[in-house]
Amino acid sequence: MVSALGLMGVLGGCGDGGSSDVTLRLVAADYGSSAADSSEKYWADLVERYEAGHPGVTIDVSVHSWTDVDREVREMVDAGDPPDMAQIGAYADYAADGLLYKADDLLSIPVQADFLSQLATAGEVNGIQYGMPFAASTRVLFYNKELFAEAGITPPTTWDELAANAEALKAEGVKYPYALPLGPEEAQAETMQWLLSGGGGYTDLMGTYSIDSMENVQTFNWLKNELVGKGLTGPVAPGGLDRAEAFAAFAAFAAGDVGMLNGHPSLMEMAEKKGVEYGMVPTPGVDGESRSTLGVADWMTAFKENGHRDEVGAFLDFVYSEKNVLDFSREYDLLPVTDSASRTMSASARDEDLKPFLDQLPTSELYPVGATSWAAVSAEIKKRIGKAVAPGGSPAGVLGGIQATATRAENAE
């Protein structure tokens, strides 16, 4: 989810007008798509409720777009003035530099134990949790029900069925049977989704990068030869196609021009607003439903520079209460990061639309975010992966080049 507005408001206040004993600064990402649903409103309500019960503490929250938030925090850290807390996309570099509190130095035992286990593990560096998951999502295959009915096809469960469906959609005049966004915005997500469905991934069982593995090369050979090479993708070449930019993959699906694509929960609202009747199924794999799907998490971190460990911990215990986790997840069509909120959402009729994503979460795999090398590897994937399926491109060559970057980055850790 990327906000186009770059909102940078300051929330919180001075209580009854007197000076507070402690002021905590939190930098947070904006999950809204406009001023009407900006995350500023979520934090304003949460902060008001927290400060009402903690008169000695003021919480100042600055909300930034996803385009800016990681850079803003980096600049603050580089200037020697980090915030007390930052809700951002990565944490490993700061943890490796010794700048962050450990989660178990902050959170009460019940709160820390409530994190979903795979998300808590993904927040670890060398077996110690520094990244506290804040929001999560998974991916499923979206398909346009009307276009599928016109073509007389059913949702695919295998790659061969997906390719056959794409051919049938093309024969019916569908503009873009499959949207394959391998552009720089989020190529690392689409890539990993496909690698997992082919039995591979970014790392092996030991956590070592294996980007140019046989399984991964076979996956991209299939994409190049069976989808891209046969003219079954669009709206533009995969290397130039982003997910959420105007006229890109999600917008084209919401316009009724795309038959199938991998998507996360925010695509539901986009499609519904445009009147597109859609279905969702697990990601197809080589021989059946993919063994795993991509899971994505964003992270809460707490910097040690300013101290206030107890105050930060008490505030984060409040942030991760079941009510607040559910409120945030429901507001922005995201998945809860705690067991308690997940159980409530699974049993609630009001959250039925999110159930396909929620069902995928326990078996999802996340990026190797605990490695400080991941930022460099992710950037290289965004830069190069589209060339693997371009005319004349070599999947083995491109994946081998990315693997070389990953190996150098891993050795430099």
Side-chain angles (χ1 to χ4, degrees):
M1 279 97 18
V2 179
S3 169
L5 301 182
L7 299 174
M8 298 194 297
V10 176
L11 312 179
C14 298
D16 59 5
S19 60
S20 297
D21 296 329
V22 173
T23 296
L24 301 178
R25 291 183 299 152
L26 166 63
V27 176
D30 194 348
Y31 290 81
S33 58
S34 68
D37 65 351
S38 168
S39 296
E40 288 185 324
K41 294 187 176 182
Y42 170 80
W43 285 112
D45 172 72
L46 185 147
V47 165
E48 181 179 5
R49 288 185 286 114
Y50 185 78
E51 289 182 347
H54 299 80
V57 179
T58 293
I59 311 293
D60 286 339
V61 185
S62 59
V63 175
H64 302 262
S65 75
W66 272 110
T67 304
D68 300 324
V69 66
D70 288 292
R71 174 181 53 79
E72 291 283 344
V73 173
R74 171 54 65 186
E75 290 177 354
M76 295 171 73
V77 172
D78 289 346
D81 186 31
D84 296 281
M85 295 162 284
Q87 185 267 300
I88 48 180
Y91 65 87
D93 286 354
Y94 300 128
D97 290 340
L99 301 177
L100 301 180
Y101 282 116
K102 302 173 186 177
D104 56 10
D105 285 340
L106 297 168
L107 302 175
S108 65
I109 292 174
V111 169
Q112 188 175 5
D114 198 26
F115 287 132
L116 293 169
S117 60
Q118 78 271 35
L119 299 181
T121 300
E124 295 178 353
V125 174
N126 297 324
I128 299 173
Q129 186 181 1
Y130 295 94
M132 293 162 277
F134 183 75
S137 68
T138 56
R139 302 293 195 268
V140 298
L141 183 75
F142 282 74
Y143 66 97
N144 184 309
K145 286 187 173 182
E146 182 179 350
L147 298 180
F148 267 55
E150 291 173 354
I153 55 178
T154 57
T157 60
T158 68
W159 285 2
D160 286 345
E161 291 175 2
L162 187 150
N165 282 357
E167 292 278 14
L169 291 167
K170 183 178 181 180
E172 284 293 315
V174 174
K175 288 184 179 179
Y176 316 117
Y178 186 87
L180 183 66
L182 296 178
E185 182 205 354
E186 208 192 27
Q188 81 284 3
E190 184 75 10
T191 297
M192 185 167 171
Q193 184 81 346
W194 276 100
L195 297 185
L196 291 172
S197 72
Y202 286 138
T203 60
D204 59 23
L205 293 177
M206 301 300 293
T208 302
Y209 287 111
S210 57
I211 295 169
D212 62 347
S213 69
M214 178 182 68
E215 293 85 358
N216 292 346
V217 172
Q218 289 175 343
T219 294
F220 267 80
N221 277 329
W222 188 89
L223 284 172
K224 182 176 187 292
N225 296 329
E226 301 301 323
L227 288 186
V228 181
K230 293 183 178 180
L232 301 175
T233 60
V236 297
L241 182 62
D242 284 329
R243 174 203 59 178
E245 298 297 326
F247 309 112
F250 279 17
F253 184 82
D257 295 333
V258 169
M260 300 173 280
L261 81 169
N262 289 322
H264 55 61
S266 69
L267 182 54
M268 296 189 299
E269 184 179 0
M270 290 182 65
E272 288 166 0
K273 284 182 176 179
K274 295 291 186 178
V276 171
E277 189 177 357
Y278 62 88
M280 299 181 292
V281 294
T283 303
V286 177
D287 300 314
E289 181 182 321
S290 176
R291 64 179 174 84
S292 182
T293 189
L294 169 67
V296 178
D298 301 323
W299 304 96
M300 179 70 76
T301 60
F303 288 87
K304 297 189 292 186
E305 178 72 22
N306 302 318
H308 308 312
R309 185 186 73 176
D310 291 344
E311 292 84 0
V312 170
F315 176 66
L316 291 179
D317 272 0
F318 182 74
V319 167
Y320 285 107
S321 69
E322 181 179 338
K323 169 184 166 45
N324 290 330
V325 172
L326 279 172
D327 285 350
F328 182 84
S329 301
R330 286 166 168 164
E331 176 68 24
Y332 297 106
D333 286 330
L334 290 164
L335 303 182
V337 297
T338 62
D339 281 312
S340 58
S342 293
R343 287 193 299 269
T344 298
M345 184 173 279
S346 293
S348 173
R350 67 179 289 189
D351 301 307
E352 186 175 354
D353 286 350
L354 286 172
K355 197 170 187 309
F357 302 93
L358 200 60
D359 289 344
Q360 297 285 312
L361 190 56
T363 59
S364 65
E365 291 192 26
L366 281 75
Y367 305 129
V369 290
T372 58
S373 58
W374 171 241
V377 175
S378 177
E380 190 73 1
I381 293 167
K382 293 179 180 181
K383 178 181 176 182
R384 301 186 61 175
I385 196 63
K387 298 175 184 177
V389 296
S394 166
V398 171
L399 292 173
I402 297 172
Q403 175 65 35
T405 296
T407 300
R408 288 193 297 271
E410 195 170 45
N411 292 337
E413 285 189 341

